[in-house]
Amino acid sequence: MLTAARATTASFASNASKASRCPLRKNRAAGTGRRLCRRWRYDRGVTDFELAHRYDTVNLYRRGTAAKLELNRPDRMNAWNAQLARDLLDALTSVREDPGVRAVLLTGAGRAFSSGADLKESQSLDEAGPPDLYSVLTQRYHPLIFGVREMPKPVVAAVNGAAAGIGLSLALACDLVVAAESAYFLLAFVNIGLVPDGGSSLLVPTRVGFARAAEMAMLGERIAAGQALEWGMINRVWPDGEFAARAEELLIRLADGPTRAHAGIKRQLNNWLYQRMGEQLEFEAKIQQEMGASGDFAEGVRAFTEKRPPRFTGA
């Protein structure tokens, strides 16, 4: 459990505060200042969130009653390894239990939200034998998905780039999903001989229906942000240059809203749509364990690490 520290240095906080002062405020009397200030913030990427805690792979930022969690393995496109799972669970637990936090945003550092599981952890597959995917899912990933869905506060996924595999599952577990125009969504599991997991076998069809869920799961193709919006998978798409500021603006709106009502709305949706989520995640994990012992999965991982197309045989 973390004890949140405020800004790392006084100069950081001072600079952030100064940067957030819009030079166009004096024009508001003419009715144009608010719009111009907003544009100024988008263009400059200004933020007055402060770093509250830095984990090995996650950054926790705070601004008043709003919290922003940033997956921070940009060199690996925020691929999930054991450390990231631990850090993210600790951060989610912290903001859940903090009465001063009333809304949460999840995003990624660099050019991706999350590219999915870090397959480098599977490179020793041939030597060590089939991986224990059941334990990985139930112990590492499921607590995170439940943590987002059961948090009594709204959670926004701000998808700034690729959201693939378990990264897509995490995004769709959130209450609202917004994306940059350049972002995309990918149920990548089939491309390495696996099945959707992390709740995506439930979260995807809940949002887009059976036909589109089957297409995403079986073809493993990228879904661009605009198409995801058209399908009803996500809530908003914004230009890349405005994305970060608009996502933060939405977060602040939720944080300033009726927190108890937001929690009640989540309970209603969970009761109607996700009452059997635990059962489905358990079912996913058992099937994924079967797939982890398949020849196609071994080939899928080798092909990925060797940067070549897989040659599946159905084994």
Side-chain angles (χ1 to χ4, degrees), residues 159-170:
V159 180
N160 52 305
I166 190 65
L168 174 60
S169 301
L170 177 66

Side-chain angles (χ1 to χ4, degrees), residues 102-264:
R102 295 169 56 192
V104 180
L105 181 142
L106 294 177
T107 193
R111 58 193 180 93
F113 178 78
S114 172
S115 59
D118 192 339
L119 292 182
K120 280 193 172 182
E121 292 189 342
S122 300
Q123 283 185 322
S124 60
L125 180 65
D126 291 336
E127 294 80 10
D132 184 2
L133 297 182
Y134 178 87
S135 294
V136 170
L137 288 169
T138 56
Q139 298 173 18
R140 184 184 300 180
Y141 296 153
H142 292 180
L144 290 164
I145 302 302
F146 280 116
V148 170
R149 282 303 330 140
E150 295 177 352
M151 184 177 296
K153 307 167 186 184
V155 183
V156 178
V159 180
N160 52 305
I166 190 65
L168 174 60
S169 301
L170 177 66
L172 297 190
C174 297
D175 303 299
L176 299 176
V177 184
V178 298
E181 282 183 336
S182 63
Y184 67 87
F185 302 82
L186 174 63
L187 270 183
F189 303 95
V190 72
N191 296 329
I192 56 170
L194 293 179
V195 298
D197 64 29
S200 54
S201 68
L202 172 63
L203 297 165
V204 174
T206 297
R207 288 176 178 263
V208 304
F210 178 89
R212 287 167 174 163
E215 179 179 335
M216 289 182 66
M218 292 188 173
L219 299 185
E221 297 175 344
R222 294 185 181 188
I223 305 299
Q227 186 175 2
L229 180 65
E230 181 182 338
W231 281 10
M233 187 189 308
I234 64 176
N235 300 94
R236 299 282 191 277
V237 174
W238 293 311
D240 289 13
E242 300 179 6
F243 175 69
R246 291 227 181 173
E248 290 176 0
E249 186 178 68
L250 174 61
L251 173 63
I252 297 301
R253 175 180 174 180
L254 291 168
D256 289 343
T259 309
R260 289 178 62 86
H262 289 152

Side-chain angles (χ1 to χ4, degrees), residues 291-300 302 311-315:
M291 299 303 106
S294 71
D296 279 346
F297 174 57
E299 165 60 15
R302 282 195 297 269
R311 296 183 288 272
F312 295 130
T313 64

